[in-house]
């Protein structure tokens, strides 16, 4: 996901600058933070290893009614958390066993399974550099993914132009249902609500980021600083380097099937991502990204997140995805039966 395009991006601020910003926003923690010693590996690099959560109640895009408002007050956050808690209580309540059956042809979703499937996070909003942001995206200034450039057509739009529907083949179905990938082009860019867990393992030559859903391992090369041209990959081809205390990762060559406005970003063959990982405490990583896609957007998209370390007893599970084994075949089989019935006038 590949023509070679050189894009020069500003690198992430160093961890010292991030620390200064945190200190300025929260003076009560300044003494503790100034005495904090960054953990390091045996070869001297910042040690990111462990299990982390990238879930967040902060949305990827700013609600349009907020306009240019970039942050919430403490009072607004507490009220949002109160309303979230009420919604979770309602979700956890038993469904009425006397409810009537759905109408014929109605869409049956998984409301009864929501609590079991963990389609929710604790009703707590995590600050980003000491601020309660209204969106993960900080650039453009409206906090939203910009409109596509005129004339841009992604993988799915081209399929539709060719008369290929969602059930004409497996390619028309969501990647998550096909057990291929879940989330954005790089899952940790978006604040997922379901199993938003990842594990980081590193040595002197590589950093590996394993995402629980759908058990994807992204290998980031630290010594081989050129990309493997001609090979499109899920989550792209990633190379990284250290900028002082920050791990900077450059990824390109994504697969065009990863294009999804629902999951965050449209993807063309020019799609590239710069990520920055900086430890800000033993339990937090300041994570930022910049998306560049000259074909789809034409302007950079910048976002910032806080990754939080999971408790020691919380580990990455072996994620068994069965939709691609059972549901996909049933969906396509049902579509063929529907076509045959239509031809026979049944």
């Amino acid at each position: 996901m590949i023509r070679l395009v050189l894009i020069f991006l500003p690198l992430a601020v160093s961890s010292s600058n991030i620390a200064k910003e945190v200190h300025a926003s929260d003076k009560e923690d300044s003494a503790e933070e100034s005495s904090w010693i960054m953990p390091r590996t045996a070869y001297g690099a910042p040690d990111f290893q462990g299990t982390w959560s990238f879930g967040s109640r902060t949305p990827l895009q700013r609600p349009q009614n907020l306009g240019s408002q970039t942050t919430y007050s403490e009072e607004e956050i507490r009220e949002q958390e109160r309303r979230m808690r009420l919604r979770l209580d309602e979700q956890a309540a038993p469904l009425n066993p006397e409810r009537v059956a759905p109408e014929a042809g109605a869409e049956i979703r998984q409301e009864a399974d929501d609590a079991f499937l963990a389609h929710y996070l604790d009703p707590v909003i995590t600050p980003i550099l000491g601020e309660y942001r209204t969106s993960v995206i900080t650039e453009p200034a409206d906090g939203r993914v910009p409109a596509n450039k005129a004339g841009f057509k992604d993988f799915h739009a081209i399929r539709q132009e060719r008369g290929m529907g969602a059930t004409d083949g497996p390619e028309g179905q969501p990647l998550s249902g096909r057990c291929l990938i879940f989330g954005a082009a790089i899952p940790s860019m978006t604040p997922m609500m379901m199993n938003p867990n990842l594990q980081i393992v590193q040595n002197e030559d590589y950093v590996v980021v394993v995402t629980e859903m759908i058990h994807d391992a992204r290998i980031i090369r630290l010594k081989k600083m050129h990309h493997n041209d001609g090979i499109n990959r899920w989550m792209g081809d990633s190379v990284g380097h250290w900028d002082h205390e920050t791990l900077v990762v450059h990824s390109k060559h994504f697969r065009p099937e990863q294009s999804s406005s629902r999951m965050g970003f449209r993807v063309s063959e020019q799609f590239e991502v710069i990520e920055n990982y900086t430890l800000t405490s033993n339990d937090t990583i300041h994570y930022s990204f910049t998306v560049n896609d000259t074909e789809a957007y034409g302007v950079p998209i910048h976002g910032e997140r806080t990754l939080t370390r999971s408790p020691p007893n919380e580990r990455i599970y072996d994620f068994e995805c069965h939709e691609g084994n059972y549901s996909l075949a049933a969906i396509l089989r049902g579509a063929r039966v529907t076509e045959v019935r239509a031809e026979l006038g049944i």
Side-chain angles (χ1 to χ4, degrees):
M1 328 182 132
I2 309 222
R3 295 184 290 272
L4 179 61
V5 175
L6 297 178
I7 298 177
F8 297 92
L9 298 172
L11 297 177
V13 294
S14 68
S15 58
S16 61
N17 289 335
I18 291 176
K20 290 177 182 177
E21 188 170 346
V22 174
H23 295 169
S25 65
D26 193 354
K27 294 182 179 180
E28 293 181 359
D29 295 335
S30 60
E32 180 181 348
E33 293 186 16
S34 61
S35 62
W36 174 64
I37 299 176
M38 181 178 292
R40 296 184 181 276
T41 62
Y43 41 90
D47 191 347
F48 293 96
Q49 297 185 100
T51 304
W52 302 83
S53 170
F54 60 92
S56 174
R57 289 286 185 177
T58 302
L60 177 68
Q61 302 190 72
R62 184 182 307 151
Q64 290 182 308
N65 64 301
L66 295 181
S68 60
Q69 179 182 337
T70 59
T71 61
Y72 290 114
S73 67
E74 186 81 21
E75 293 75 17
E76 289 174 315
I77 288 298
R78 300 290 85 84
E79 174 59 21
Q80 287 186 30
E81 291 177 342
R82 185 190 69 82
R83 293 198 299 265
M84 292 174 192
R85 195 170 292 107
L86 289 176
R87 287 198 297 271
L88 289 178
D89 290 342
E90 293 175 357
Q91 177 179 292
L95 295 177
N96 178 11
E98 303 299 327
R99 65 191 185 280
V100 299
E103 296 180 4
E107 180 180 12
I108 300 176
R109 301 183 64 82
Q110 49 195 37
E111 289 84 353
D113 295 328
D114 276 343
F116 172 74
L117 291 174
H119 281 176
Y120 64 89
L121 299 171
D122 290 336
V124 176
I125 298 176
T126 305
I128 302 171
L129 294 181
E131 296 181 331
Y132 292 107
R133 305 279 181 82
T134 56
S135 62
V136 169
I137 293 177
T138 58
E139 297 176 18
D142 63 0
R144 300 187 62 80
V145 176
N148 294 133
K149 291 177 65 176
F152 170 70
K153 296 174 183 176
D154 70 353
F155 173 85
H156 304 289
I158 293 173
R159 276 180 53 84
Q160 290 180 349
E161 272 193 351
R162 295 173 178 172
M164 302 177 71
T167 57
D168 286 339
E171 298 83 1
Q173 292 297 301
L175 299 181
S176 57
R178 296 169 63 192
C179 296
L180 293 173
I181 189 171
F182 200 100
I186 294 176
S188 53
M189 290 166 55
T190 52
M192 284 171 51
M193 298 287 285
M194 184 178 179
N195 304 327
N197 305 309
L198 60 82
Q199 182 178 6
I200 299 178
V201 180
Q202 66 187 101
N203 61 24
E204 192 170 7
D205 298 326
Y206 299 93
V207 174
V208 180
V209 180
V210 180
T211 308
E212 185 173 46
M213 293 179 59
I214 304 176
H215 208 77
D216 298 303
R218 186 159 62 106
I219 300 174
I220 302 165
R221 304 184 301 278
L222 300 180
K223 295 297 178 69
K224 183 182 177 183
M225 292 303 297
H226 65 274
H227 290 276
N228 295 322
D229 295 336
I231 302 176
N232 294 348
R233 303 182 180 186
W234 304 118
M235 296 185 293
D237 179 52
S238 300
V239 297
H241 69 275
W242 295 103
D243 177 31
H244 302 290
E245 313 295 1
T246 296
L247 174 64
V248 182
V249 182
H250 181 199
S251 301
K252 58 191 299 185
H253 300 335
F254 292 84
R255 294 179 64 98
E257 300 98 311
Q258 291 182 255
S259 184
S260 172
S261 59
R262 185 174 68 88
M263 289 297 185
F265 303 95
R266 299 290 189 186
V267 173
S268 81
E269 291 191 348
Q270 304 301 318
F271 190 88
E272 299 191 24
V273 180
I274 298 289
E275 301 168 275
N276 302 277
Y277 298 76
T278 307
L279 279 169
T280 50
S281 75
N282 287 335
D283 297 323
T284 56
I285 294 174
H286 178 70
Y287 172 80
S288 67
F289 63 84
T290 300
V291 169
N292 275 278
D293 193 324
T294 55
E295 186 176 342
Y297 296 112
V299 296
I301 305 169
H302 183 73
E304 296 182 350
R305 305 278 316 285
T306 298
L307 309 185
T308 56
R309 189 182 295 275
S310 301
N313 62 327
E314 293 188 9
R315 305 296 178 88
I316 294 292
Y317 280 80
D318 182 12
F319 191 85
E320 299 295 342
C321 183
H322 295 296
E323 288 85 347
N325 299 327
Y326 302 104
S327 298
L328 183 60
I331 289 170
L332 299 180
R333 188 182 304 115
R336 303 293 82 78
V337 170
T338 300
E339 292 168 355
V340 170
R341 286 181 173 177
E343 291 180 2
L344 298 177
I346 300 176

